[in-house]
């Protein structure tokens, strides 16, 4: 793997371009796509596109499931219409929140993708940029950045993550605490760890992986259990310190299980239409689980916590960390009561994503 840093810079510039609505070129060994993001793209004179690149979940919604199996909802699908796509048509097609307002679209047909790795990389770039995974395949547009599909491998390499700062931080749960900030090259997300109590690497810490949730952690949303889980985890770690133990809270900047704040709010809108959490993400063309567990493993390694007790009701989280070399000595149950607004959300986690009741 190249360690020059240039692949990560290309990805970072491509993400910036997508957020600004500029076109990018994504290449692989088989070819390339010039792609204009449907959500953020800006109108250009004479802009029409014969094709769009969308997710398999959107293709299924458009009745293309028989032509393209949608077993992987965020896999790419190349579609054609009877007339060229305009940017307005592309935006209408990309956003599932508009499905009720525009129920009749098409007809469309799906075709083989000439550069499959590039198309798959485009879907991942959209997720990382926090935009809808839908692109106009446009020729003649100004390309702001060219990125290779393989560049994502180095960009997502957890070894890029390093400790940038640390400081004492008394918190409500425990006055003896230290905050540690991490940052990866060319990635704007800054993850933090809160070490609760006196670190003693001879004693396995109680660890909680908590993904950022603005609505739950800060605004007190009742649609999820994130805020109460965060506070309960800190309280449990503080209790550990009274018996010679310590704790580590990893606060991961992975809003919405990795799909971003705006897409999470779009999923909320779809939930209000009757879809559960998993189905809402799939209609957006996004995975229901997109968190970056290698980042968490790297943070624990940098702290020096190789053997841990993990506070979670998600067996997949235990398996993911163990596969990355973290020794999970014990899974500590972490379950809180439901409320009328999040009961279905918790049932979905239990029934469709394998969460345990205790």
């Amino acid at each position: 793997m190249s360690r020059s840093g240039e692949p990560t810079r290309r990805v970072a510039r491509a993400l910036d371009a997508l957020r600004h609505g500029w076109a990018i070129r994504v290449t692989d060994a088989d070819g390339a796509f010039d792609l204009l993001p449907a959500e953020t793209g800006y109108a250009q004179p004479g802009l029409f596109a014969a094709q769009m690149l969308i997710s398999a979940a959107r293709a299924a919604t458009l009745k293309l499931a028989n032509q393209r199996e949608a077993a992987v909802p965020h896999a790419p699908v190349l579609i054609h219409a009877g007339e060229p796509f305009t940017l307005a048509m592309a935006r209408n097609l990309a956003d599932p929140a508009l499905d009720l307002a525009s129920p009749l679209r098409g007809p469309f047909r799906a075709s083989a993708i000439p550069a499959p790795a590039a198309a798959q990389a485009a879907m991942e770039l959209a997720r990382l940029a926090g935009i809808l995974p839908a692109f106009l395949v446009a020729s003649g547009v100004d390309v702001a950045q060219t990125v290779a599909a393989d560049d994502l491998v180095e960009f997502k390499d957890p070894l890029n993550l390093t400790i940038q700062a640390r400081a004492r931080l008394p918190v409500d749960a425990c006055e003896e605490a230290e905050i540690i900030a991490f940052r990866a090259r060319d990635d704007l997300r800054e993850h933090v760890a809160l070490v609760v109590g006196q670190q003693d690497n001879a004693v396995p810490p109680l660890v909680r992986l908590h993904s950022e949730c603005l609505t739950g952690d800060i605004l007190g949303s009742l649609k999820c259990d994130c805020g109460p889980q965060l506070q309960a985890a800190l309280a449990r770690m503080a209790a550990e310190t009274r018996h010679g133990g310590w704790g580590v809270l990893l606060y991961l900047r992975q809003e919405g299980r990795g799909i971003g704040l705006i897409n999470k709010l779009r999923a909320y809108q779809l939930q209000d239409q009757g879809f559960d959490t998993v189905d809402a993400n799939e209609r957006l063309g996004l995975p229901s689980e997109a968190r970056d567990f290698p980042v968490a493993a790297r943070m624990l390694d940098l702290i020096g916590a190789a053997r841990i007790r993990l506070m979670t009701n998600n067996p997949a989280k235990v398996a993911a960390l163990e596969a990355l070399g973290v020794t999970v000595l014990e899974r500590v149950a972490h379950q809180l009561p439901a409320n009328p607004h999040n009961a279905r959300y918790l049932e979905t986690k239990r029934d469709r994503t394998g969460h345990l009741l205790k």
Side-chain angles (χ1 to χ4, degrees):
M1 181 190 302
S2 168
R3 301 299 302 172
S4 68
E6 184 55 34
T8 71
R9 286 190 286 273
R10 285 195 292 266
V11 173
R13 290 191 290 262
L15 295 178
D16 184 65
L18 293 177
R19 295 185 188 108
H20 281 86
W22 303 330
I24 63 171
R25 178 172 296 145
V26 188
T27 69
D28 66 16
D30 298 311
F33 286 106
D34 286 355
L35 302 170
L36 186 69
E39 177 186 344
T40 58
Y42 62 93
Q44 301 177 37
L47 175 63
F48 293 93
Q51 300 171 314
M52 278 189 68
L53 195 64
I54 62 173
S55 70
R58 292 303 293 150
T61 303
L62 298 168
K63 311 303 182 187
L64 293 171
N66 292 332
Q67 297 183 50
R68 181 71 62 176
E69 180 58 47
V72 181
H74 51 287
V77 175
L78 188 65
I79 66 169
H80 307 253
E83 60 186 76
F85 294 103
T86 65
L87 190 56
M89 291 168 57
R91 286 174 175 162
N92 181 278
L93 195 65
D95 191 348
L98 302 177
D99 286 347
L100 294 180
S102 302
L104 298 177
R105 298 184 175 104
F108 304 107
R109 60 183 176 86
S111 62
I113 298 177
Q120 185 64 59
M123 295 289 106
E124 180 67 0
L125 287 167
R127 183 189 69 80
L128 291 171
I131 64 173
L132 291 169
F135 298 91
L136 286 168
V137 181
S139 59
V141 295
D142 292 330
V143 172
Q145 178 62 44
T146 297
V147 60
D150 289 345
D151 290 346
L152 279 165
V153 176
E154 183 167 318
F155 181 81
K156 298 175 68 175
D157 185 354
L159 294 179
N160 289 329
L161 195 75
T162 56
I163 293 175
Q164 297 296 314
R166 55 199 311 163
R168 188 178 70 88
L169 184 70
V171 295
D172 285 344
C174 181
E175 292 186 2
E176 185 179 12
E178 180 187 31
I179 190 167
I180 305 172
F182 305 78
R183 186 163 53 203
R185 181 176 58 198
D186 298 316
D187 189 343
L188 297 178
R189 297 176 299 174
E190 296 168 332
H191 308 282
V192 299
L194 186 71
V195 176
V196 178
Q198 182 65 44
Q199 180 169 348
D200 180 357
N201 289 337
V203 178
L206 183 63
V207 173
R208 173 69 181 167
L209 275 58
H210 187 90
S211 294
E212 176 183 34
C213 179
L214 172 70
T215 50
D217 299 342
I218 305 301
L219 302 178
S221 168
L222 298 176
K223 287 180 69 71
C224 65
D225 57 348
C226 298
Q229 278 195 341
L230 174 61
Q231 297 307 318
L234 290 173
R236 184 76 175 269
M237 291 175 191
E240 293 281 315
T241 67
R242 294 192 284 273
H243 304 284
W246 60 295
V248 180
L249 174 80
L250 300 185
Y251 196 84
L252 306 168
R253 303 296 301 278
Q254 301 181 143
E255 182 79 50
R257 290 175 170 257
I259 67 172
L261 175 62
I262 291 175
N263 281 330
K264 183 180 83 168
L265 298 183
R266 289 187 172 114
Y268 281 178
Q269 186 178 11
L270 291 173
Q271 290 167 33
D272 289 340
Q273 296 177 14
F275 298 99
D276 68 22
T277 310
V278 173
D279 287 337
N281 280 36
E282 290 185 354
R283 288 187 77 85
L284 288 165
L286 296 164
S288 58
E289 176 59 88
R291 287 176 290 186
D292 194 345
F293 291 115
V295 165
R298 172 66 171 167
M299 292 167 72
L300 290 170
D301 180 54
L302 291 171
I303 291 171
R307 300 166 68 248
I308 68 172
R309 298 160 56 226
L310 186 64
M311 193 184 312
T312 183
N313 282 358
N314 185 359
K317 194 178 289 187
V318 176
L321 288 181
E322 288 182 330
L324 293 163
V326 178
T327 300
V328 181
L329 299 173
E330 178 188 5
R331 183 189 67 82
V332 179
H334 191 52
Q335 180 74 18
L336 296 173
N339 69 58
H341 301 279
N342 69 13
R344 189 185 182 197
Y345 164 75
L346 297 177
E347 289 169 358
T348 300
K349 288 207 297 184
R350 178 196 66 200
D351 297 339
R352 302 197 62 184
T353 61
H355 284 64
L356 303 175
L357 293 176
K358 61 181 181 178

